[in-house]
Amino acid sequence: MELLYNIFISLLTFGMKVFSFFNTKTKKGVEGRKESLHKVQAAFSETDKVIWMHAASLGEYEQGLPVLEKLKEKLPDHKILVTFFFLRQVMKMLLKRNI
């Protein structure tokens, strides 16, 4: 099963890279994923205690913030990592803040 998963992920990654030549949104996503790994590696060491929250939507992110705030109060020595999959919504939110 793991072999099938790895093959599928490899094919999906390859397909996204090829498609990024024809679609700017996909291109931004591929480039962002490359940068994300380097940023995470620079921000965290292997010995860091990390609380990781992944949000699939802006609403999910907003619902998770109070939980992260409480966790940070109870576990102040932990670092927070938030990942998301909604670039368009984040851009809209940032634009609204700048108006």
Side-chain angles (χ1 to χ4, degrees):
M1 188 55 91
E2 185 178 340
L3 177 64
L4 289 176
Y5 173 82
N6 289 332
I7 291 170
F8 176 75
I9 293 298
S10 297
L11 290 173
L12 184 64
T13 302
F14 176 75
M16 287 178 66
K17 288 179 182 178
V18 170
F19 192 63
S20 70
F21 289 110
F22 309 102
N23 185 287
T24 55
K25 185 177 174 183
T26 305
K27 183 176 183 176
K28 286 180 184 178
V30 169
E31 290 171 355
R33 283 172 182 78
K34 286 179 192 175
E35 293 174 17
S36 295
L37 179 61
H38 298 296
K39 288 179 181 179
V40 170
Q41 288 173 333
F44 301 100
S45 73
E46 289 185 21
T47 58
D48 285 336
K49 297 175 183 178
V50 181
I51 298 169
W52 179 13
M53 181 182 87
H54 177 77
S57 69
L58 184 58
E60 193 172 279
Y61 166 76
E62 290 173 347
Q63 288 179 342
L65 280 180
V67 175
L68 283 179
E69 289 169 357
K70 291 293 183 189
L71 283 170
K72 189 62 180 171
E73 286 176 17
K74 292 183 183 240
L75 304 167
D77 59 326
H78 285 59
K79 290 186 175 182
I80 304 288
L81 172 62
V82 179
T83 58
F84 54 88
F85 198 70
F86 51 92
L87 179 61
R88 184 184 310 147
Q89 292 175 340
V90 169
M91 296 307 293
K92 284 181 186 178
M93 181 179 66
L94 292 175
L95 288 173
K96 284 182 182 178
R97 286 186 177 175
N98 292 329
I99 290 176

